[in-house]
Amino acid sequence: MAIWVHEDKGIFHLQSKGMSYIIELVNDYPAHVYWGRRLRHGSNLEGLRPPVTGGSLDRLPQEYPQYGTGDFRIPAYQAKLEDGTRVTELRYSGYRVLAGKPKLAGLPAVYVESEEEADTLELILRDDYAKLEVVLRYTVYAEMDAIARSVEFVNDGQAPLQLLRALSASVDFPAADMDMIYLSGAWSREGHITRRRLEQGGTSIESRRGMSSHQHNPFAALAKHGTDERQGEVYGFSLVYSGGYEAVAEVDSFGMARLAIGVNSFDFSWRLEPGESFQTPEAVMVYSGQGLGEMSRIYHRLYRTRLSRGQYRDKERPILVNNWEATYFDFNTDKLEAIAAEGAKLGIELFVLDDGWFGKRDADNSSLGDWTEDLRKLPGGLADLAARVNGHGMKFGLWVEPEMISPDSDLYRSHPDWCLHVPGRRRSELRWQLVLDYTREEVRQYIFESLSRIFSSVPVAYIKWDMNRCLTEIGSAQLPPERQGETAHRYVLGLYELLERLTSAFPHILFESCCSGGGRFDPGMLYYMPQTWTSDDTDAVERLKIQYGTSLVYPVSSMGAHVSAVPNHQVGRITPLSFRGDVAMSGNFGYELDLTNFTPEEKELVKVQVANYKEIRSLVQQGSLYRLQSPFEGNETAWMFVSDDQREALVYYFRVLAEPHPPRRTLLLSGLNPEVDYRLADSGEVYGGDRLMQAGLTLPEIQRDFVSGCFRLRAEA
């Protein structure tokens, strides 16, 4: 059993393999009293809550705090009643314990494959005056130190009410001696790790862009001062959502900290008619007492095996070549076939046709929405190109951007009201395109039929689903005035509904999410698409930071990583092909360049890279990741992958710039069995796992810029 209930004491104890989370009823308010290392259930669990004097809610560590009745910190929700008042007070009404984990209606979420994997606690709260019922759901996994939280609002009354704020989770901590860690950046600079000390007041990250964004990822962690990769306590919060969100940490005047996460309250409202309900997205909370590395590995295992779905969840991902940086919009069937033919000779398994194949798309400024082949470039259509690619023994993949519409398109000329817009206001074009209104069923149906026609007539094995701009003029011609504040969230719900239909109808297709790179790298998209294009920046040096930071939450199996041409198209840097390959092989490997331009020497190196990756990809994509040296802290980066049985390991080391007369370097490894001896594949030398982790692996001395090394370890029989 993962959930224990002391009804007489009002205590709810959620327990996993290494973690406990405890709730106590205080005057019918669910209070948060403990989250940390596992406590024995038989031990005395009373007295964990700090004393609250004078009945003040301002010091009570509430599980789902409200505003207006004495708690002046960040509220988790706010409702506006028909009489215009905005004061509600939720009190405990009852509970349910369920085996397994119920699905969330219309929303992605982590799941179980058997009821024994997890238990779910539902705490039922009510405001009798407003006739508002709120159900707090907690699913605790038995073998992973993770809790999935969400909230359902039900209008039990006879009058409508308006939700103005509806967050997914809120946790109070008894002390604020912690740092907030999150991922920040911009287009082509995603996934950079930021760490800030909590001080009195608020620390927040958010997106108001209608997508999870390049600027911040829907993830935040609170870590004790001094916590690093290997040691220290850390509490992770990850939102399974692809739209605008907020994560706010607040330290009050008593030195207590509160972190809340959920759909962004800015410009949000939701009208609840009598009998209707509203379900928040899910927040996945992870506890680690062994540093940031262990937190990441819990997220990786959970998201790789119990968030991602479909045929490709546990499969090795194909090595691909994408034509985008090779040709951009200037291509024809013969040129594309030539790249595919060269790729086949090198052992590459999948050819992907990127932007420019439809309508009259010779640049970014037209044809989105017109999903028919451009017969000027492809006289035989997609089917002919796919047949040629298949004839070389390669699978065929395709780029689409189905959430967008170009003003210069047949679709827009026929349906100018199908985009998000506000009547009488300017329609902001970003990248010469507008956003389709996915709140509308007829729009989603048009896209479903357009794509289904292609997927049914062309042997498509892979789809790169792109989104190249954020949401502006967020309004819908279909929604009445009192529901316009629902548009952004309804857009995301519409996207999820369409993705569920498409991925269910075409389960053989490997879908990869993209949003100008990592602009929508979030758990919500991973539920439908098991991998994401990590960044449009393919420079190997920049990718060290991008991939390292992204791995704080997301498994390597979710990260697309490609070798591109030099000088790099984003930063102009020239790096060796070997260095670019080693960086890209630490993800879902591929190439994004013109293979026909390679020299014979480069082709031989690519053959070796492709062959090597085929040998190691199961370990890279399914193994446990250990981060060894951070690119945010110096000139060197290192990480390693370890098999579940600890019999095999793969170590990557990178040094960006050479140093004069450098010191002798050793690299401390992690995750090995200290009692086992390991043989280095290249040299044949044998070292004990304890020696490699405590004394380290000696690195070769190479004097040049952009050095990389790969070390394979296998346990002795």
Side-chain angles (χ1 to χ4, degrees):
M1 178 182 291
I3 297 174
W4 305 85
V5 179
H6 273 303
E7 291 191 14
D8 56 334
K9 298 177 181 178
I11 291 177
F12 302 87
H13 182 189
L14 287 66
Q15 189 184 69
S16 66
K17 185 176 182 180
M19 174 191 75
S20 284
Y21 187 100
I22 301 175
I23 302 164
E24 181 181 352
L25 298 178
V26 179
N27 298 326
D28 286 337
Y29 297 106
H32 173 72
V33 298
Y34 180 82
W35 185 19
R37 292 186 189 274
R38 176 181 168 127
L39 300 178
R40 288 184 294 110
H41 180 65
S43 60
N44 185 357
L45 300 180
E46 297 178 85
L48 291 171
R49 173 179 56 84
V52 177
T53 58
S56 171
L57 294 181
D58 207 28
R59 299 192 68 172
L60 183 68
Q62 296 182 72
E63 277 294 309
Y64 204 66
Q66 56 223 351
Y67 178 80
T69 56
D71 187 341
F72 300 98
R73 296 164 291 174
I74 310 161
Y77 79 99
Q78 188 177 30
K80 181 179 179 180
L81 306 186
E82 191 181 32
D83 60 8
T85 60
R86 300 164 309 286
V87 176
T88 57
E89 187 166 31
L90 295 173
R91 309 296 285 265
Y92 173 76
S93 175
Y95 77 93
R96 291 185 289 263
V97 175
L98 310 172
K101 184 178 190 294
K103 290 185 176 182
L104 297 189
L107 285 165
V110 293
Y111 58 87
V112 296
E113 291 189 341
S114 68
E115 289 186 347
E116 292 74 24
E117 293 180 18
D119 287 326
T120 298
L121 170 68
E122 295 186 344
L123 290 181
I124 304 164
L125 313 181
R126 287 189 62 84
D127 181 315
D128 288 331
Y129 177 84
K131 299 296 187 289
L132 173 64
E133 181 175 283
V134 173
V135 181
L136 308 183
R137 290 195 177 92
Y138 305 75
T139 296
V140 57
Y141 281 80
E143 295 298 319
M144 289 182 274
D145 295 337
I147 297 174
R149 286 187 60 176
S150 67
V151 183
E152 183 181 12
F153 293 81
V154 181
N155 184 353
D156 249 354
Q158 301 301 312
L161 59 84
Q162 200 89 0
L163 292 176
L164 305 177
R165 183 181 183 88
L167 300 187
S168 299
S170 178
V171 177
D172 285 358
F173 295 86
D177 55 338
M178 294 185 286
D179 303 325
M180 184 168 168
I181 301 171
Y182 53 92
L183 301 177
S184 59
W187 172 77
S188 77
R189 190 164 38 82
E190 301 91 336
H192 283 218
I193 297 175
T194 300
R195 185 164 184 162
R196 296 171 60 184
R197 186 184 184 96
L198 291 186
E199 303 285 357
Q200 185 170 336
T203 302
S204 67
I205 59 172
E206 64 179 326
S207 169
R208 295 185 293 271
R209 299 168 183 263
M211 61 188 193
S212 45
S213 86
H214 303 82
Q215 286 68 25
H216 291 119
N217 197 271
F219 160 80
L222 296 183
K224 297 285 188 180
H225 298 324
T227 296
D228 58 24
E229 278 294 314
R230 302 185 185 210
Q231 62 82 36
E233 287 193 302
V234 57
Y235 307 85
F237 297 79
S238 173
L239 189 66
V240 186
Y241 188 61
S242 306
Y245 67 91
E246 59 182 306
V248 185
E250 182 182 35
V251 178
D252 65 15
S253 57
F254 304 109
M256 297 171 61
R258 172 177 289 172
L259 191 141
I261 190 168
V263 173
N264 201 325
S265 307
F266 176 80
D267 200 36
F268 167 84
S269 65
W270 195 274
R271 184 178 175 87
L272 271 185
E273 297 290 347
E276 289 185 344
S277 64
F278 176 82
Q279 174 65 56
T280 73
E282 187 168 81
V284 177
M285 306 181 348
V286 164
Y287 167 77
S288 166
Q290 301 175 58
L292 292 165
E294 184 61 23
M295 178 202 70
S296 297
R297 286 184 288 277
I298 295 171
Y299 273 122
H300 295 174
R301 180 183 170 196
L302 184 63
Y303 283 177
R304 189 178 70 242
T305 66
R306 293 298 181 269
L307 176 67
S308 295
R309 303 177 299 162
Q311 295 182 9
Y312 286 90
R313 186 190 76 175
D314 304 320
K315 280 186 178 180
E316 294 180 354
R317 310 290 167 76
I319 302 170
L320 65 83
V321 58
N322 182 300
N323 75 295
W324 178 240
E325 290 192 12
T327 67
Y328 292 103
F329 295 101
D330 184 16
F331 59 80
N332 57 39
T333 302
D334 290 340
K335 176 59 179 176
L336 298 176
E337 185 185 4
I339 295 174
E342 197 61 53
K345 295 175 187 176
L346 302 175
I348 297 172
E349 300 157 316
L350 169 67
F351 173 82
V352 179
L353 171 58
D354 211 282
D355 196 358
W357 59 267
F358 54 93
K360 298 177 181 178
R361 181 90 164 162
D362 296 323
D364 290 339
N365 58 6
S366 77
S367 301
L368 288 169
D370 299 340
W371 297 109
T372 55
E373 299 104 313
D374 183 352
L375 298 181
R376 299 171 305 155
K377 298 178 182 179
L378 307 173
L382 289 174
D384 172 62
L385 174 61
R388 295 196 196 187
V389 170
N390 292 162
H392 292 284
M394 297 183 75
K395 293 184 177 180
F396 178 70
L398 193 64
W399 176 97
V400 293
E401 191 173 3
E403 297 168 66
M404 300 296 149
I405 183 171
S406 301
D408 182 11
S409 67
D410 293 339
L411 181 64
Y412 188 80
R413 285 183 279 272
S414 300
H415 299 284
D417 64 326
W418 273 17
C419 66
L420 292 176
H421 68 281
V422 176
R425 297 290 181 182
R426 176 173 64 91
R427 301 183 179 189
S428 303
E429 294 181 29
L430 303 179
R431 207 170 177 259
W432 300 282
Q433 61 196 50
L434 301 167
V435 182
L436 282 170
D437 184 357
Y438 267 32
T439 72
R440 302 177 65 160
E441 185 177 0
E442 64 269 35
V443 173
R444 302 195 302 272
Q445 182 62 25
Y446 168 81
I447 294 297
F448 179 80
E449 291 175 355
S450 298
L451 297 183
S452 295
R453 184 170 56 251
I454 297 170
F455 300 168
S456 299
S457 60
V458 179
V460 176
Y462 163 101
I463 286 293
K464 181 180 178 182
W465 181 293
D466 210 346
M467 179 197 190
N468 278 304
R469 60 155 291 177
C470 52
L471 278 54
T472 56
E473 291 83 48
I474 302 177
S476 173
Q478 179 178 283
L479 295 175
E482 66 273 15
R483 290 192 177 272
Q484 287 297 318
E486 302 173 10
T487 305
H489 184 61
R490 286 188 180 275
Y491 176 92
V492 178
L493 295 179
L495 170 65
Y496 290 156
E497 188 263 352
L498 176 61
L499 293 180
E500 184 68 34
R501 291 184 66 191
L502 283 169
T503 56
S504 298
F506 301 96
H508 65 283
I509 294 178
L510 171 59
F511 284 85
E512 178 173 294
S513 173
C514 177
C515 183
S516 295
R520 200 164 60 185
F521 204 131
D522 59 65
M525 295 304 292
L526 286 184
Y527 183 75
Y528 304 98
M529 305 183 183
Q531 60 190 59
T532 299
W533 180 228
T534 317
S535 176
D536 280 349
D537 193 336
T538 54
D539 171 63
V541 175
E542 287 300 308
R543 272 301 188 108
L544 291 174
K545 291 182 177 179
I546 292 168
Q547 291 172 208
Y548 186 101
T550 301
S551 77
L552 204 61
V553 195
Y554 302 101
V556 172
S557 62
S558 68
M559 287 192 260
H562 297 172
V563 174
S564 61
V566 291
N568 176 264
H569 292 197
Q570 289 77 48
V571 300
R573 195 180 345 256
I574 298 175
T575 53
L577 181 56
S578 59
F579 186 85
R580 284 174 276 155
D582 284 342
V583 175
M585 280 193 278
S586 298
N588 291 321
F589 186 48
Y591 294 85
E592 192 153 333
L593 38 67
D594 191 343
L595 298 172
T596 65
N597 290 335
F598 271 161
T599 65
E601 294 77 17
E602 288 173 325
K603 290 178 182 178
E604 286 304 311
L605 179 54
V606 170
K607 278 186 182 179
V608 172
Q609 289 177 339
V610 169
N612 286 344
Y613 190 72
K614 288 178 181 178
E615 290 185 14
I616 65 173
R617 63 178 155 189
S618 63
L619 181 57
V620 170
Q621 295 169 8
Q622 305 294 332
S624 295
L625 172 69
Y626 291 82
R627 295 181 294 266
L628 306 179
Q629 290 185 309
S630 171
F632 298 101
E633 297 176 1
N635 190 41
E636 299 167 285
T637 303
W639 48 60
M640 64 184 291
F641 306 92
V642 181
S643 63
D644 287 345
D645 62 6
Q646 298 179 296
R647 304 290 296 174
E648 187 179 3
L650 180 71
V651 182
Y652 278 105
Y653 167 81
F654 308 92
R655 191 185 71 226
V656 176
L657 297 178
E659 299 175 10
H661 197 58
R664 181 172 177 266
R665 286 182 167 85
T666 58
L667 184 63
L668 297 180
L669 307 189
S670 289
L672 303 177
N673 186 334
E675 304 300 323
V676 169
D677 290 334
Y678 293 87
R679 183 179 297 274
L680 276 170
D682 289 342
S683 68
E685 295 173 317
V686 177
Y687 301 101
D690 51 351
R691 176 250 163 94
L692 291 170
M693 293 191 290
Q694 302 303 323
L697 175 69
T698 301
L699 298 172
E701 295 183 12
I702 302 174
Q703 274 303 89
R704 57 176 170 78
D705 294 341
F706 313 122
V707 168
S708 63
C710 176
F711 308 91
R712 295 183 67 182
L713 300 165
R714 286 193 175 91
E716 291 288 83

